[in-house]
Amino acid sequence: MTIVELLFALMIMAMIAVALQAMVSSVEFANDYSQGYGIATQHARAALDRIQTTVHQAYGKSIYPGVWVTQDTDGQWTYPNTLIVWQPNGTPANPSGPPLVQELVIFCPDPNAPNDLVQLTVPGNTTAVPTTNSASLTTLVNSLKTSSSANKVVLTNLLNVVSVADSGNSASTTRPAVWFIETLSPSATSWNSYLAGTTTWANLTWPQGICSAAEGRTQVWLRSEIQLMPGVAWSGQNSASATPIPFLGSACFNYSLP
């Protein structure tokens, strides 16, 4: 072979090697993406299914509708990241309310590990739950999150944690990307108007407009969103720069209002 032929052959081999390297990188990237997305999807399915099943088994009565959402406040921002479900084991201790702490199931980020979404129960705690829209309820639930007597189950450790800056404060805080939104029909406001005599029974916002003269059915609808990080970092990308994946869930149940 002449020098020119040898150089030409080496150039072709180099081009083939570069093309193979690009193909290997693409395959590796696709494999990491699929694995990371698959692991996050499994975590999300397990967490949202657990929430949905718990809500379906909730117990509600009048001012205790069975499902409540409390929120943290930081400057101008509010974070509805804590879900409370009244799920007694059998007949409730107080069928007309208030529930007892031992009958509650709480879903929230772990204060000590913000990447963890946990399920909390506190067996044996017979404290009565305050009114659902009171600051006392938020204080009680926040104390349970760090209680040494609480049973804690980690549903996922892949929660996305974001840095949030308050416009009135130069300091920033980190918050897990978890949201819960609860909708009642009839709403708590319209029910209170009925109790006050300013709204008639028939004019309450019953689901699908269905009620009898003696009984109506309240519907509780919960919407959930969790943002999870991929379970495996993509090639050439660390976990901090990975793109979070949002997952949405919903659940509802209904109970009787006489």
Side-chain angles (χ1 to χ4, degrees):
M1 296 179 65
T2 65
I3 295 295
V4 173
E5 290 173 331
L6 183 60
L7 291 175
F8 188 71
L10 290 173
M11 181 180 66
I12 293 176
M13 292 178 63
M15 292 173 63
I16 293 174
V18 170
L20 288 175
Q21 177 61 35
M23 184 174 65
V24 168
S25 297
S26 298
V27 171
E28 185 179 5
F29 178 88
N31 179 67
D32 289 346
Y33 175 84
S34 297
Q35 286 191 32
Y37 194 98
I39 292 173
T41 301
Q42 291 176 359
H43 280 229
R45 182 181 296 116
L48 294 174
D49 283 354
R50 179 72 68 91
I51 293 171
Q52 182 183 58
T53 300
T54 304
V55 170
H56 287 168
Q57 297 173 352
Y59 182 89
K61 280 290 183 181
S62 189
I63 64 171
Y64 293 95
V67 175
W68 321 288
V69 176
T70 62
Q71 58 189 21
D72 295 335
T73 302
D74 186 6
Q76 64 177 334
W77 305 110
T78 56
Y79 306 92
N81 57 13
T82 301
L83 172 66
I84 307 152
V85 183
W86 184 7
Q87 189 194 41
N89 184 14
T91 303
N94 301 314
S96 298
L100 304 183
V101 168
Q102 66 183 10
E103 299 174 317
L104 301 182
V105 181
I106 301 171
F107 298 93
C108 63
D110 189 339
N112 299 319
N115 292 106
D116 293 354
L117 177 66
V118 297
Q119 173 184 310
L120 297 177
T121 55
V122 191
N125 190 325
T126 58
T127 302
V129 175
T131 307
T132 58
N133 61 353
S134 66
S136 299
L137 174 63
T138 301
T139 301
L140 172 63
V141 171
N142 288 341
S143 69
L144 297 177
K145 293 178 184 179
T146 56
S147 172
S148 59
S149 60
N151 291 339
K152 183 183 301 182
V153 177
V154 178
L155 303 181
T156 178
N157 60 351
L158 299 178
L159 278 181
N160 178 33
V161 177
V162 297
S163 178
V164 181
D166 184 1
S167 61
N169 188 346
S170 59
S172 62
T173 59
T174 55
R175 290 288 177 176
V178 179
W179 293 271
F180 298 109
I181 300 175
E182 173 204 22
T183 303
L184 296 179
S185 182
S187 67
T189 300
S190 62
W191 179 251
N192 289 333
S193 296
Y194 165 72
L195 295 178
T198 57
T199 299
T200 64
W201 176 265
N203 286 335
L204 288 172
T205 53
W206 300 111
Q208 300 180 340
I210 299 175
C211 69
S212 70
E215 180 184 10
R217 303 293 293 180
T218 291
Q219 183 182 74
V220 183
W221 178 30
L222 175 74
R223 289 169 288 171
S224 310
E225 178 181 347
I226 57 176
Q227 291 183 7
L228 302 186
M229 303 304 293
V232 175
W234 304 346
S235 301
Q237 185 179 47
N238 58 42
S239 58
S241 62
T243 303
I245 309 167
F247 295 93
L248 306 177
S250 65
C252 70
F253 82 105
N254 58 76
Y255 59 91
S256 172
L257 277 179

